């Protein structure tokens, strides 16, 4: 099974093999999605509606809808507990939600955060803080652990779960940067 956030067509699509198994409508620019492997549920950032939505793994039922965001961009599920981190672009924050949608943490001080990535090894989260030209590492409860500068509009972060290294798409420097796990 593969899930796709079909941004310009305002759909979320589930593929089985090479076939569209389910097409979910009613989204407005779904930007990113993240699957919780334990139960197959899917969190979707519904950008223009200013909300995140949690769907049952087969897409048949909406489990949670959380509003109050202003341009939710990237999101990432913590596989250890099912919580999800959301980059709230225009509110300049990242927010951690429980599997039921309750707010667990809200961290300010960002300037257009675009992407978050949970390190499944320790629960920490990396944030692409685009307009501050840095990436930020937070603990599982949102405490600041590190700031790494030297980027020019870092747009995306991803954690290699094998060793905890972090990959950063550094947009205007036209490069991809790998950070050591102990950064």
């Amino acid at each position: 099974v593969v899930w796709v956030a079909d941004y310009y067509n305002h759909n979320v699509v589930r593929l089985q093999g090479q076939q569209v198994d389910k097409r979910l409508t009613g989204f407005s620019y779904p930007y990113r999605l993240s699957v919780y492997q334990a139960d197959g549920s899917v969190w979707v950032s519904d950008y223009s509606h200013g909300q995140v939505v949690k769907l049952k793994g087969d897409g048949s039922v909406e489990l949670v809808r959380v509003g109050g965001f202003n341009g939710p961009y990237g999101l990432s599920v913590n596989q250890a507990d099912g919580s999800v981190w959301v980059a709230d672009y225009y509110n300049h924050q990242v927010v951690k939600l429980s599997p039921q949608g309750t707010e667990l943490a809200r961290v300010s001080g960002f300037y257009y955060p675009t992407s978050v990535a949970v390190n499944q090894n320790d629960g920490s989260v990396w944030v692409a803080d685009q307009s501050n030209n840095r990436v930020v590492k937070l603990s599982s409860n949102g405490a600041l652990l590190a700031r790494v500068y030297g980027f020019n509009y870092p747009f995306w972060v991803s954690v290699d779960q094998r060793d905890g290294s972090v990959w950063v798409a550094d947009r205007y420097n036209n490069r991809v940067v790998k950070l050591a796990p102990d950064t």
Side-chain angles (χ1 to χ4, degrees):
V1 174
V2 175
W3 286 93
V4 178
D6 189 0
Y7 184 78
Y8 288 112
N9 289 314
H10 309 285
N11 296 308
V12 172
V13 177
R14 188 175 100 157
L15 304 171
Q16 291 262 17
Q18 296 181 3
Q19 302 297 319
V20 173
D21 175 60
K22 185 158 300 241
R23 183 177 305 276
L24 304 169
T25 61
F27 293 94
S28 183
Y29 298 106
Y31 192 79
R32 172 80 181 196
L33 52 83
S34 187
V35 176
Y36 180 42
Q37 300 297 323
D39 65 6
S41 60
V42 181
W43 283 94
V44 180
S45 59
D46 191 3
Y47 181 78
S48 289
H49 284 146
Q51 62 190 1
V52 294
V53 179
K54 183 181 180 184
L55 305 169
K56 191 172 178 182
D58 64 3
S60 63
V61 177
E62 179 183 302
L63 300 172
V64 175
R65 179 178 297 261
V66 181
F69 294 96
N70 191 358
Y73 246 61
L75 48 77
S76 183
V77 172
N78 183 330
Q79 298 300 326
D81 63 9
S83 63
V84 64
W85 282 92
V86 182
D88 193 3
Y89 190 74
Y90 291 109
N91 282 332
H92 309 292
Q93 300 173 332
V94 294
V95 179
K96 182 181 182 182
L97 301 173
S98 74
Q100 298 77 29
T102 303
E103 185 176 307
L104 299 174
R106 179 176 295 268
V107 183
S108 300
F110 298 97
Y111 194 40
Y112 299 117
T114 56
S115 175
V116 291
V118 174
N119 180 334
Q120 302 300 335
N121 299 308
D122 63 8
S124 63
V125 63
W126 283 89
V127 181
D129 190 8
Q130 180 177 264
S131 293
N132 277 327
N133 295 313
R134 66 184 183 185
V135 294
V136 176
K137 182 180 183 182
L138 303 173
S139 71
S140 62
N141 65 1
L144 178 66
L145 297 176
R147 292 185 186 111
V148 182
Y149 293 89
F151 299 99
N152 191 357
Y153 264 53
F155 189 71
W156 212 258
V157 291
S158 183
V159 176
D160 183 335
Q161 301 305 332
R162 294 171 299 176
D163 67 1
S165 59
V166 179
W167 291 89
V168 181
D170 190 10
R171 177 183 261 175
Y172 294 139
N173 281 326
N174 300 310
R175 65 184 183 165
V176 175
V177 176
K178 182 179 181 181
L179 301 175
D182 58 349
T183 301

